């Protein structure tokens, strides 16, 4: 594990996430995927809604399972304020790319300042990390509460393509050293080295495929079918998806050249 201390919790968050990405890049992982959340969002909303400990834990469990139907039923019974009920029902959907932060600002415009500050912190960390590692893919989940009873701010996890579990988990845990007389902001992460070793071995052995851009041309499909019959891996792209999005798994591209489809290197 890695732990950083400093005068600014936000600065520690930036450096720790950057250090995690640098470590994954250094060992040679082809994909860099980071999930970002902030426990301050749910904590602030739970306080604003006046949830007691039992209610807070009950909704916490539902939220972690993204149990939308059960969440709606629970909210109907436990949240009487219409605006707050809408917010609690929307929390599971606040997950995705950077647009999620804009959606959250609109939805949570009347939320307590601590909630809006949490969104600001997520954006500030994302801005710096994206500048340092533009190839990294950032995913935001504002209902992610990993380590809720331990962390005090931003939480994050690293994932690899094709591997369902997190390779690393971390976040901010300010004041954890208070019992030792030092309550400085702190942020850190732990890494599953066994999982990373297994992924690296798999990536070395996995053959690369051929990328085929989205097309309605039957000639392209015939070419794809022929390549697959030869044992090739052909990955068909979605609309507006380019070969650069598939560089992790593809090293060649199917292109139309003077009326015929051929394979060329990327």
């Amino acid at each position: 594990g890695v732990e950083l201390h400093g005068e600014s919790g936000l600065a520690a968050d930036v450096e720790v996430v950057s250090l995690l990405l640098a470590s994954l890049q250094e060992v040679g992982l082809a994909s860099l995927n980071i999930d970002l959340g902030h426990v301050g969002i749910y904590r602030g909303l739970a306080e604003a809604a006046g949830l007691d400990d039992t209610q807070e834990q009950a909704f916490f469990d539902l939220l972690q399972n993204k149990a939308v139907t059960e969440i709606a039923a629970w909210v109907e019974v436990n949240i009487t304020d219409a605006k707050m009920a809408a917010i609690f029902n929307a929390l599971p959907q606040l997950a995705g790319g950077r647009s999620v932060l804009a959606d959250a600002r609109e939805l949570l415009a009347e939320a307590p300042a601590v909630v809006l500050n949490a969104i600001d912190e997520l954006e500030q960390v994302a801005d710096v990390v994206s500048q340092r590692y533009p190839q990294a893919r950032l995913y935001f989940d504002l209902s992610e509460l990993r380590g809720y009873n331990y962390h005090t701010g931003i939480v994050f996890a690293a994932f690899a393509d094709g591997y369902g579990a997190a390779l690393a988990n971390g976040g901010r845990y300010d004041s954890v050293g208070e019992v030792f007389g030092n309550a400085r902001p702190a942020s850190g992460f732990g890494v599953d080295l066994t999982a990373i070793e297994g992924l690296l071995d798999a990536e070395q052995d996995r053959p690369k495929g051929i990328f085929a851009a989205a097309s309605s041309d039957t000639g392209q499909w015939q070419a794809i079918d022929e390549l697959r019959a030869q044992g090739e891996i052909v990955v068909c792209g979605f609309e507006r998806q380019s070969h650069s999005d598939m560089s992790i798994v593809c090293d060649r591209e199917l292109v139309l050249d003077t009326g015929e489809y051929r394979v060329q290197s990327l």
Side-chain angles (χ1 to χ4, degrees):
V2 174
E3 180 177 291
L4 292 181
H5 295 267
E7 297 304 318
S8 167
L10 192 59
D13 292 334
V14 168
E15 295 307 322
V16 164
V17 175
S18 296
L19 183 56
L20 173 57
L21 284 167
S23 301
L24 296 177
Q25 184 173 262
E26 182 66 23
V27 299
L29 279 181
S31 58
L32 301 175
N33 306 299
I34 297 291
D35 284 10
L36 289 165
H38 199 301
V39 299
I41 293 173
Y42 177 58
R43 193 165 284 147
L45 291 174
E47 183 177 350
L51 302 187
D52 59 31
D53 291 343
T54 301
Q55 290 174 312
E56 186 174 341
Q57 184 60 49
F59 191 76
F60 171 91
D61 293 338
L62 293 173
L63 202 55
Q64 294 318 283
N65 294 322
K66 298 291 193 291
V68 177
T69 301
E70 291 86 349
I71 284 174
W74 184 93
V75 168
E76 186 175 359
V77 172
N78 292 273
I79 307 292
T80 56
D81 180 82
K83 288 184 179 179
M84 191 60 70
I87 288 173
F88 273 70
N89 276 318
L91 273 177
Q93 280 79 49
L94 290 176
R98 287 290 290 264
S99 62
V100 165
L101 299 182
D103 294 341
R105 281 202 177 88
E106 183 176 349
L107 176 68
L108 306 176
E110 298 181 25
V114 65
V115 174
L116 301 178
N117 289 340
I119 298 171
D120 288 342
E121 288 190 349
L122 279 172
E123 187 162 46
Q124 290 173 56
V125 169
D127 285 344
V128 178
V129 170
S130 294
Q131 290 172 3
R132 294 179 178 181
Y133 297 92
Q135 75 276 33
R137 287 174 284 185
L138 303 185
Y139 179 89
F140 301 86
D141 187 347
L142 304 196
S143 63
E144 174 54 62
L145 300 172
R146 188 183 295 108
Y148 180 68
N149 296 318
Y150 179 66
H151 290 298
T152 60
I154 284 178
V155 291
F156 55 87
F159 292 87
D161 292 342
Y163 189 75
L167 301 177
N169 288 293
R172 190 191 309 174
Y173 37 91
D174 295 345
S175 303
V176 70
E178 188 171 3
V179 66
F180 305 110
N182 190 342
R184 290 182 302 171
S187 189
F189 63 85
V191 180
D192 186 342
L193 296 177
T194 301
I196 290 177
E197 183 179 16
L199 281 169
L200 291 173
D201 290 342
E203 285 185 356
Q204 290 172 357
D205 298 334
R206 186 186 302 136
K208 293 282 190 174
I210 301 167
F211 175 74
S215 172
S216 59
D217 182 10
T218 56
Q220 188 206 53
W221 179 251
Q222 290 171 355
I224 291 171
D225 198 39
E226 290 174 5
L227 287 166
R228 287 174 173 168
Q230 297 167 19
E232 294 282 5
I233 298 171
V234 182
V235 180
C236 296
F238 295 111
E239 188 178 355
R240 294 190 297 277
Q241 188 174 38
S242 70
H243 62 72
S244 62
D245 299 323
M246 291 289 108
S247 59
I248 295 170
V249 295
C250 296
D251 60 359
R252 290 159 293 159
E253 181 180 17
L254 184 63
V255 298
L256 182 62
D257 182 24
T258 62
E260 293 186 4
Y261 281 96
R262 63 181 180 82
V263 177
Q264 68 178 24
S265 298
L266 290 177

